[in-house]
Amino acid sequence: MDRRNNPYAPGAGLQPPELAGRDRLIDDVTIDMDRVLRRRPTKGLILLGLRGVGKTVLLNRLRAFADDKGFQTAKVEAPEGSVLPHLLAPELRRILYALDVRQSGGRHLRRAVTVLRGFANAFKVKIGDIEFSVEPAPGEGDSGNLELDLPPLLIAVAEAAAERRSAVGLFIDEIQYLSAVELTAVVVACHEIAQRNLPLLFIGAGLPQVAALAGKAKSYAERLFDYPEVGPLDSDAARAAIAMPAKNEGVSFDDDAITAMLQATQNYPYFIQEWGFQVWNRAPSSPIAQEVVADSTPDVIAHLDANFFRVRFDRLTVLQQKYLRAMAELGPGPHKTGQIATTLGVAATSVATVRQQLVNKGMVWSQRHGETAFTVPLFDSFMKRQMPTLEQHVPTRRRGSTRRTSSR
């Protein structure tokens, strides 16, 4: 097959050629966007799902719809160690300029600029000059306390958008990496905006634990946002994700080839793109046979091991790696936390800190109390390939103490 015509798009956040199985969700959100533009009450949205289910793809697609509808949009990603004000302030500055700060009138827009100035100064954010003949307004968004300062800033920006008969779309990816203070500030800001019925729609995405984190930040977060789960595709959608891009290029798959790909990918969108990409490049002609899928699979797995899985593995300490290897010994999961510790050869209390560290790094999560599951699909198989032998942990003793440590 001609590699130049390969239609599949493996990669972080890349738009796939066929966004299958998400039509209902997209329709619901675009209706919400219309409601915001009409100043109708609308909940925010936080997409929840494991790695590789296409949350970022959906977030980008929804932002594109918002842009098309006339929203002024801001999108930030919250990687580990980021500081939300430093990510958000430049985006809000761009929105205010897009609303045309030099146009006559615009009392709310002028106020938004002054609040942004104070906010940027308080959090030491360098966002460039904002040329405007208005003095800062002390006491608005400039205390240095994010929970107090973010709400008036976003309110001011939303009021400026309303003044220009527009709306704001705020998109935040990887929400699980926001600090507790940052997440609380976002929730409080969205709550106050909802109470004022201002035209700002918040859409976030993160790992499954985000719902619990938001509820912990503020109990009313359960009612403030909808939390649609983005999971693996159903069988029909997964088949469409494989077959339709090839069909558009005049290429077809044998049924048993598609079945083999579904089995290998477990219907996860990212893995479908990886298998589709490699299978296309190896296939000599159409229709693509099951034997091509079988021949391609070792190459796909090697590529995933060296890239998708390995970059996460290398961020872990030795004991964290051992903990995940013990999980892998038990299968895909979820697993009882005590059973993982027993497999590792220690008491559950001695590795409780390690488990929490893995939660903080986005490697595991807990749907129910006392359970732990991988956030990365197929990671159990990778751990067995990476660490073929399960090595039980032998806690070290601190010099001069009989206490056992839980990490190295």
Side-chain angles (χ1 to χ4, degrees), residues 121-136:
N121 289 336
F123 292 95
K124 298 179 173 57
V125 182
K126 294 182 179 180
I127 59 173
D129 294 332
I130 300 179
E131 298 296 336
F132 222 174
S133 57
V134 179
E135 293 299 320

Side-chain angles (χ1 to χ4, degrees), residues 53-355:
V53 295
K55 300 185 300 298
T56 300
V57 166
L58 269 174
L59 204 65
N60 290 338
R61 182 66 63 91
L62 293 174
R63 183 190 183 187
F65 280 118
D67 287 333
D68 290 343
K69 288 179 176 290
F71 278 70
Q72 299 297 332
T73 63
K75 179 175 179 286
V76 299
E77 180 180 329
E80 288 181 86
S82 64
V83 180
L84 184 60
H86 289 229
L87 298 172
L88 199 53
E91 287 290 297
L92 296 179
R93 173 182 180 269
R94 182 182 53 76
I95 284 178
L96 293 179
Y97 267 108
L99 292 171
D100 193 356
V101 297
R102 294 181 178 82
Q103 184 178 327
S104 61
R107 176 175 61 88
H108 289 296
L109 185 55
R110 288 171 174 265
R111 176 175 171 270
V113 171
T114 64
V115 177
L116 178 58
R117 269 186 182 170
F119 183 88
N121 289 336
F123 292 95
K124 298 179 173 57
V125 182
K126 294 182 179 180
I127 59 173
D129 294 332
I130 300 179
E131 298 296 336
F132 222 174
S133 57
V134 179
E135 293 299 320
E140 290 190 285
D142 61 358
S143 72
N145 181 324
L146 190 61
E147 185 176 342
L148 297 177
D149 293 343
L150 186 61
L153 174 59
L154 292 184
I155 287 169
V157 173
E159 288 176 338
E163 187 174 52
R164 294 292 196 240
R165 300 184 182 278
S166 184
V168 176
L170 177 57
F171 298 79
I172 300 183
D173 202 2
E174 302 285 10
I175 291 182
Q176 71 278 354
Y177 291 135
L178 292 179
S179 70
V181 170
E182 291 170 340
L183 182 57
T184 299
V186 170
V187 173
V188 171
C190 290
H191 188 221
E192 294 195 16
I193 285 168
Q195 290 177 317
R196 289 167 170 79
N197 195 26
L198 291 170
L200 186 150
L201 179 62
F202 175 82
I203 302 181
L207 295 175
Q209 62 261 38
V210 168
L213 293 174
K216 184 177 180 181
K218 291 291 180 181
S219 59
Y220 54 72
E222 298 173 356
R223 291 162 285 144
L224 187 62
F225 304 112
D226 287 327
Y227 300 91
E229 294 185 6
V230 183
L233 301 175
D234 63 36
S235 179
D236 289 342
R239 285 181 174 273
I242 294 171
M244 291 306 297
K247 183 178 180 181
N248 292 336
E249 298 292 335
V251 174
S252 64
F253 285 83
D254 289 342
D255 285 344
D256 56 357
I258 292 181
T259 300
M261 290 177 69
L262 295 181
Q263 183 176 3
T265 63
Q266 296 183 20
N267 293 12
Y268 283 98
Y270 173 71
F271 296 136
I272 286 174
Q273 296 303 311
E274 286 285 5
W275 255 270
F277 186 80
Q278 296 289 348
V279 167
W280 175 282
N281 288 344
R282 183 179 286 267
S285 61
S286 177
I288 298 175
Q290 189 274 337
E291 290 79 7
V292 178
V293 177
D295 291 342
S296 302
T297 292
D299 290 340
V300 180
I301 292 174
H303 177 76
L304 290 172
D305 284 358
N307 297 278
F308 183 75
F309 295 127
R310 183 80 196 191
V311 294
R312 291 165 171 80
F313 179 85
D314 287 344
R315 296 167 54 237
L316 306 174
T317 67
V318 172
L319 183 49
Q320 290 167 358
Q321 292 171 356
K322 287 183 178 180
Y323 191 95
L324 295 184
R325 179 60 180 84
M327 287 180 61
E329 188 72 9
L330 299 171
H335 305 297
K336 297 291 185 183
T337 302
Q339 191 177 11
I340 298 169
T342 299
T343 304
L344 192 56
V346 297
T349 54
S350 69
V351 288
T353 300
V354 178
R355 178 182 178 276

